[in-house]
Amino acid sequence: MVKIISGPAAAASDPTLVGILEDFDDSRCLLMWSDFAADVSNAAWANRTSFDIGCIKFVDGGGTFNQETANSGGLIYLNTSSDGSGSSAAIMHYEGGPADFNKDPRIKFKCNFEAANSALQVQAGGFNSARAPTDWDATSNDCAMFRSVTTGNLFAVTGSGSAETTTDLGSFYTLGNNAVFEIVSSSNGGSWAFKINGTTRATHTSNLPDAKMQCMIGIANNTTTALRIDNLDYIWATQDRD
């Protein structure tokens, strides 16, 4: 069996690629998947080309993407630069806008989001119509994501391109801690559930996305402070085939 988890955080309850494909092979398609087990120092990663299944790294303004232990797979981090503001790092699907809002897309990943910090422009994971992390705090995007900005808590957010619905998740998750995050759409995009460690903590049925979106996780700063999402263990996304 092929395990998504190959790093030190592996657990019997973690998802497997085989399990995902078997669950969805009749009616679902796999948009992206990585367990970050490859050597990220090789040319394919360094040159921002695709890796694993449907994934690409996005770095800007000095942001970096690397493994927690050099050349040892399983866990990576996304790091902003301390050289200037507006630097960012992200993982996303290598084709723009693959997640179709009315095909019930689903995304799941495991990480430590950065602790609340005034230097944090935005960090988020989920779906967004904007490609660059520096745009993920805008209220003019179509989105369904976990998001935090500056010193605020983590929020569940859906956006229609003109308005947002937000739910404060601070009573369920403390920024900086390790957790499994999942966003699940149902009713052809009519409802979006936000899960932390397998428990639904918010469900949105208003101000919902109605555009194709990027599958993503990433972080951006607003000053010269270096910030990072730690221990990103795996990420995958699926949606209905028809």
Side-chain angles (χ1 to χ4, degrees):
M1 179 175 289
V2 179
K3 284 286 288 182
I4 274 187
I5 308 303
S6 59
S13 60
D14 287 326
T16 66
L17 180 57
V18 169
I20 293 168
L21 294 175
E22 288 178 346
D23 285 345
F24 300 127
D25 63 357
D26 289 335
S27 61
R28 301 282 285 179
C29 62
L30 185 66
L31 295 175
M32 66 183 298
W33 166 76
S34 182
D35 64 355
F36 307 110
D39 176 3
V40 304
S41 66
N42 69 32
W45 297 61
N47 295 332
R48 200 192 287 180
T49 57
S50 60
F51 59 93
D52 287 341
I53 300 175
C55 293
I56 192 172
K57 72 171 184 175
F58 178 95
V59 292
D60 189 45
T64 59
F65 168 121
N66 215 326
Q67 286 161 332
E68 294 288 351
T69 302
N71 302 332
S72 177
L75 295 172
I76 68 160
Y77 65 81
L78 304 171
N79 196 73
T80 69
S81 171
S82 60
D83 298 336
S85 62
S87 81
S88 59
I91 299 295
M92 59 188 65
H93 194 278
Y94 69 82
E95 295 179 355
D100 191 330
F101 71 98
N102 65 6
K103 291 186 176 181
D104 285 337
R106 173 182 179 183
I107 192 168
K108 189 172 186 177
F109 55 91
K110 185 177 184 180
C111 72
N112 297 54
F113 276 117
E114 173 67 80
N117 192 308
S118 61
L120 177 66
Q121 178 179 340
V122 63
Q123 61 182 339
F127 303 104
N128 199 302
S129 57
R131 187 170 188 266
T134 49
D135 295 329
W136 292 346
D137 58 342
T139 59
S140 57
N141 299 331
D142 286 84
C143 66
M145 60 185 176
F146 292 97
R147 183 182 71 190
S148 73
V149 298
T150 62
T151 57
N153 291 327
L154 187 70
F155 280 73
V157 182
T158 51
S160 64
S162 59
E164 290 184 342
T165 296
T166 62
T167 301
D168 190 336
L169 301 174
S171 60
F172 307 115
Y173 173 74
T174 300
L175 286 164
N177 290 345
N178 186 259
V180 176
F181 302 91
E182 189 172 6
I183 301 171
V184 181
S185 171
S186 58
S187 301
N188 296 323
S191 179
W192 295 77
F194 295 81
K195 300 182 180 184
I196 300 176
N197 292 329
T199 300
T200 299
R201 298 303 189 182
T203 301
H204 290 186
T205 57
S206 63
N207 295 320
L208 305 180
D210 59 0
K212 292 185 178 180
M213 297 172 288
Q214 197 83 35
C215 314
M216 54 73 175
I217 180 173
I219 187 169
N221 67 355
N222 60 25
T223 68
T224 57
T225 300
L227 305 169
R228 60 189 278 176
I229 294 175
D230 281 323
N231 298 319
L232 181 55
D233 202 348
Y234 59 84
I235 184 170
W236 57 265
T238 67
Q239 68 182 18
D240 289 343
R241 182 170 289 124
D242 298 321

